[in-house]
Amino acid sequence: MPVQIIVGAQWGDEGKGKIIDYLSEHADLVARYQGGANAGHTVAIGGERYVLHLIPSGILHPHTTCYLGNGVVIDPVALLQEIELLTKKDIVLKGRLFISHRAHLVMPYHKLLDQSRELADEQHKIGTTGRGIGPAYVDKVHRMGIRIVDLLDETTLREKIIHNLEEKNAILSALYGQSPLEAEAILHEYRELDEQLDPYITDVSRALHLGIASGKSVLCEGAQGTLLDIDLGTYPYVTSSSPTSGGACTGLGLGPTQIDRVLGVIKAYTTRVGMGPLPTEISPESGIDLRTLGAEYGATTGRPRRCGWFDAVVANYAVQVNGIAAWAVTKLDVLDTLAEIKICVAYRYRGKEIKTFPADLAMLEQCEPVYETLPGWQESTAAVRTFNALPARAQQYLRMLTEITQTPIEIISVGPNREQTIFC
Ligand code: GDP
Ligand code: IMO
Ligand code: MG
């Protein structure tokens, strides 16, 4: 498939990293289109486990070229740490990793503002990753952001940092009791970081256009997930970018006519980190502990993830807003030991059944899931490599997901490792 978008269909952590790594075997270019170091994409190969925050998960196949598009917000400190970590594991990055000169930078005051805001107001807390993502996108939209191109010229960079600090220092000290940040210290730090980033900077939109024109296949890598989308997610409990497929066009400088297909990555159940509604959340009293079974702890912050049953209202909404053509269903093996498995097929709101995903969070909070219960297969699927070799009840569960979402399943993941994958 020439140009394919890989999008998370739930609240993030669907296993996008694993699926992108798997698909990268047959891809030439892999390009991240939004988000920043808030993402944590885990890829397990052999005994080695890689957690990628900014660098596309396609980097672990040596033949790929990887890009960070203009829609990504780049924390140079986090990026250089990741580059160092991968270099130590003998992964070559020079000549294979490129960053858009139009991408915005995450600055030290963004991280401080993000963390201070979260600490200061328990009532309005989002449960962010504290990586400065919200404040960086606020400055972008407010037209105060500092971009990678701005690193080139010391005078412009100094002027922009001073301008930003006039506002940020006032907020940091008046609202959060923080000491003011020094412009010259930030300037010095970012000029030094720029020297190290310099070999990676390019015009990503143009590079992708040239690649597509010469017949290369492209994976557009989404971070986070549909329900964390700033426009289409469970606002305000969302991230500050556009993880949905539309974000790939603006975030990479591609036109919609250049996209061939959208693949949705979806867990066989549901998880979310941070605040906000999760209609199918399983209570601890139920005795069903998907968090332990699925090792559901955040790859970026280590926070425990909240877990729930598969929610078809969410899945159908994800198909609608992303134009998903097929699914990659992950973590099927996590359900292996359960005697019964539930699927939420609708919500009940004030006595009525609804199948559309509500925009109003107060309404969503009051929605009760309507479940269908299927028998569990209670056999290990971890070593299964074909659909037909799956236990009959696992096949039945997957057929039900296909039927209810009217979307075929193309990939099934039965474990964290690269080879624990079924291509249907
Ligand atoms: P991402 O942010 O969407 O890339 O997902 P994360 O990497 O944050 O979370 C997915 C977690 O599940 C990681 O620890 C993966 O190694 C792991 N994982 C991915 N696919 C599977 C699977 O099919 N089965 C199991 N048991 N673990 C998986
Ligand atoms: P990947 O790419 C899961 C959540 C945070 C919080 C909200 C806002 O690994 O799927 P932010 O720091 O972005 O301002 O936090 O979004 N969040 C994620 N949840 N997976 C992620 O990324 C996430 N990135 C942000 O927990 O609720
Ligand atoms: Mg993750």
Side-chain angles (χ1 to χ4, degrees):
M1 191 56 62
V3 183
Q4 186 166 217
I5 300 173
I6 314 300
V7 70
Q10 295 155 320
W11 279 274
D13 300 327
E14 296 90 350
K16 299 175 292 294
K18 163 169 176 172
I19 297 300
I20 288 157
D21 169 71
Y22 172 78
L23 292 171
S24 294
E25 189 183 343
H26 301 293
D28 302 304
L29 317 178
V30 185
R32 246 296 278 282
Y33 58 84
Q34 46 68 236
N38 49 348
H41 299 172
T42 316
V43 183
I45 306 168
E48 197 77 71
R49 191 170 165 269
Y50 303 84
V51 181
L52 299 153
H53 299 287
L54 277 161
I55 298 176
S57 309
I59 200 78
L60 303 172
H61 283 276
H63 69 272
T64 60
T65 306
C66 293
Y67 296 92
L68 296 176
N70 56 277
V72 179
V73 286
I74 312 276
D75 176 350
V77 181
L79 179 58
L80 286 166
Q81 274 172 2
E82 210 168 310
I83 288 175
E84 194 186 324
L85 217 101
L86 290 179
T87 307
K88 277 196 185 138
K89 293 190 176 187
D90 296 325
I91 291 156
V92 178
L93 296 166
K94 291 238 168 84
R96 292 189 55 218
L97 175 68
F98 295 98
I99 309 163
S100 168
H101 54 186
R102 287 193 174 84
H104 280 246
L105 288 160
V106 175
M107 303 298 290
Y109 42 81
H110 292 140
K111 289 184 261 187
L112 204 52
L113 279 168
D114 188 7
Q115 291 156 15
S116 306
R117 271 184 197 147
E118 288 280 290
L119 278 176
D121 189 348
E122 191 58 35
Q123 197 197 333
H124 296 105
K125 191 175 150 153
I126 305 288
T128 73
T129 58
R131 298 294 190 271
I133 305 303
Y137 280 111
V138 165
D139 278 354
K140 172 176 175 173
V141 175
H142 200 201
R143 292 153 295 182
M144 286 183 82
I146 303 181
R147 299 187 299 163
I148 295 271
V149 277
D150 299 321
L151 291 170
L152 290 174
D153 180 55
E154 187 169 334
T155 314
T156 315
L157 184 60
R158 178 180 283 108
E159 194 273 316
K160 291 196 174 196
I161 293 174
I162 291 171
H163 175 55
N164 268 280
L165 283 185
E166 278 166 14
E167 182 193 68
K168 271 67 173 186
N169 277 339
I171 297 172
L172 283 168
S173 70
L175 296 185
Y176 306 121
Q178 299 277 359
S179 323
L181 298 178
E182 291 281 340
E184 283 307 314
I186 298 177
L187 179 73
H188 181 71
E189 185 191 1
Y190 274 61
R191 289 284 288 171
E192 278 198 345
L193 293 167
D194 178 45
E195 270 177 35
Q196 298 175 65
L197 286 182
D198 212 40
Y200 300 102
I201 296 165
T202 198
D203 181 341
V204 167
S205 166
R206 183 161 169 71
L208 292 175
H209 275 258
L210 292 175
I212 294 167
S214 66
K216 299 224 186 294
S217 63
V218 185
L219 293 178
C220 305
E221 171 171 344
Q224 288 79 51
T226 301
L227 277 302
L228 290 173
D229 187 280
I230 186 75
D231 286 283
L232 299 157
T234 43
Y235 191 89
Y237 300 104
V238 293
T239 191
S240 301
S241 65
S242 306
T244 48
S245 57
C249 289
T250 52
L252 293 173
L254 293 177
T257 49
Q258 286 168 296
I259 308 295
D260 293 293
R261 189 171 192 248
V262 182
L263 179 81
V265 184
I266 196 156
K267 266 182 198 170
Y269 51 97
T270 314
T271 62
R272 95 172 282 181
V273 202
M275 314 297 156
L278 177 59
T280 61
E281 189 159 12
I282 300 171
S283 72
E285 296 83 61
S286 70
I288 292 164
D289 187 4
L290 290 182
R291 181 181 293 158
T292 304
L293 291 171
E296 293 294 355
Y297 293 88
T300 298
T301 58
R303 289 179 294 172
R305 295 174 182 151
R306 297 157 61 196
C307 299
W309 297 113
F310 186 90
D311 186 336
V313 182
V314 163
N316 282 323
Y317 179 67
V319 170
Q320 172 193 313
V321 301
N322 292 296
I324 290 169
W327 294 119
V329 176
T330 61
K331 305 194 87 159
L332 184 72
D333 56 299
V334 173
L335 306 179
D336 281 352
T337 56
L338 303 183
E340 285 187 333
I341 301 169
K342 291 185 184 183
I343 298 179
C344 166
V345 294
Y347 297 152
R348 186 167 293 111
Y349 176 70
R350 294 191 175 161
K352 266 181 134 174
E353 261 192 30
I354 55 166
K355 289 194 173 176
T356 50
F357 192 73
D360 178 2
L361 281 213
M363 178 175 169
L364 185 60
E365 299 271 16
Q366 288 175 48
C367 283
E368 274 180 39
V370 177
Y371 288 119
E372 281 198 20
T373 304
L374 271 69
W377 44 95
Q378 299 191 288
E379 265 180 71
S380 174
T381 56
V384 177
R385 297 292 176 268
T386 61
F387 183 86
N388 290 337
L390 282 169
R393 286 173 170 178
Q395 294 186 19
Q396 186 192 358
Y397 182 70
L398 293 168
R399 280 203 190 95
M400 169 111 178
L401 300 194
T402 299
E403 233 165 74
I404 201 164
T405 59
Q406 293 286 295
T407 305
I409 296 172
E410 189 167 279
I411 297 170
I412 302 159
S413 174
V414 290
N417 282 300
R418 204 181 248 178
E419 66 277 8
Q420 291 180 294
T421 314
I422 299 169
F423 193 81
C424 302

